[in-house]
């Protein structure tokens, strides 16, 4: 069964952690928009896309690992919030993204000026196409 999470959790102000299960392949647009308290998200390696504004305004989410299976990341999908005082979008100040070098994650991080923890050639996850058993870190921005 293929599932898509649309805006079902839009402005769910009590949600603090999320584990996206293996039967979800698409985190749709606005899925967790304005969920201010979300601090932890685990994305299954079956997810292929993260829609526009999926985690927009999730200001408690400061670290996200995006699996290699994600090949499409929409506008302002994560790491960005609306600053009402300045009346503009801003990056969540301490937000860090972890992902695979050469994937949509790296492109999204670069386009949006997000800090990366570690971009590797692959993760140690044999269930992901292209991954291998050997973990070789590449390009640490910081530890």
């Amino acid at each position: 069964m293929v599932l898509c999470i649309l805006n079902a959790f839009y402005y769910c102000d009590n949600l603090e952690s999320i584990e996206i299960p293996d039967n979800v392949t698409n985190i749709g647009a606005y899925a967790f928009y304005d969920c201010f308290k979300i601090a932890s998200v685990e994305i299954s390696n079956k997810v292929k896309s993260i829609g526009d504004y999926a985690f927009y305004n999730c200001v408690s989410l400061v670290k996200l690992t995006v699996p290699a299976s994600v090949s499409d990341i929409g506008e302002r999908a994560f790491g960005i919030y609306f600053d009402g005082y300045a009346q503009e979008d801003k990056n969540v100040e301490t937000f860090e993204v972890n992902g695979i070098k050469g994937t949509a994650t790296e492109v999204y991080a670069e386009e949006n000026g997000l800090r990366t923890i570690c971009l590797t050639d692959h993760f140690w996850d044999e269930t992901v196409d292209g991954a291998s058993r050997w973990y070789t870190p590449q390009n640490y921005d910081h530890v």
Side-chain angles (χ1 to χ4, degrees):
M1 178 181 354
V2 176
L3 290 177
C4 175
I5 299 173
L6 295 175
N7 61 355
F9 298 97
Y10 183 100
Y11 196 68
C12 186
D13 60 355
N14 291 320
L15 195 58
E16 295 179 4
S17 66
I18 304 162
E19 185 175 327
I20 307 296
D22 285 346
N23 61 339
V24 173
T25 60
N26 179 19
I27 301 171
Y30 299 90
F32 299 96
Y33 183 100
D34 273 350
C35 294
F36 301 107
K37 292 183 183 178
I38 290 177
S40 172
V41 175
E42 280 189 45
I43 300 175
S44 160
N45 62 18
K46 304 295 184 197
V47 172
K48 298 189 182 315
S49 66
I50 301 173
D52 296 345
Y53 297 87
F55 296 97
Y56 183 80
N57 273 346
C58 294
V59 294
S60 296
L61 182 63
V62 296
K63 182 178 177 181
L64 183 66
T65 297
V66 180
S69 60
V70 175
S71 59
D72 184 45
I73 301 174
E75 271 188 61
R76 296 175 177 83
F78 50 79
I80 301 172
Y81 74 102
F82 183 74
D83 181 337
Y85 181 74
Q87 293 294 298
E88 64 185 7
D89 284 332
K90 292 188 175 180
N91 288 354
V92 175
E93 190 172 319
T94 57
F95 187 84
E96 298 174 332
V97 65
N98 195 4
I100 305 293
K101 189 173 183 163
T103 64
T105 304
E106 181 179 27
V107 172
Y108 179 85
E110 287 177 0
E111 287 177 351
N112 290 285
L114 298 176
R115 183 175 19 190
T116 56
I117 296 174
C118 178
L119 291 173
T120 68
D121 284 339
H122 51 270
F123 288 135
W124 189 319
D125 186 348
E126 296 175 39
T127 63
V128 176
D129 291 340
S132 80
R133 297 180 59 144
W134 303 105
Y135 179 83
T136 54
Q138 307 278 323
N139 191 16
Y140 283 105
D141 284 345
H142 66 282
V143 177

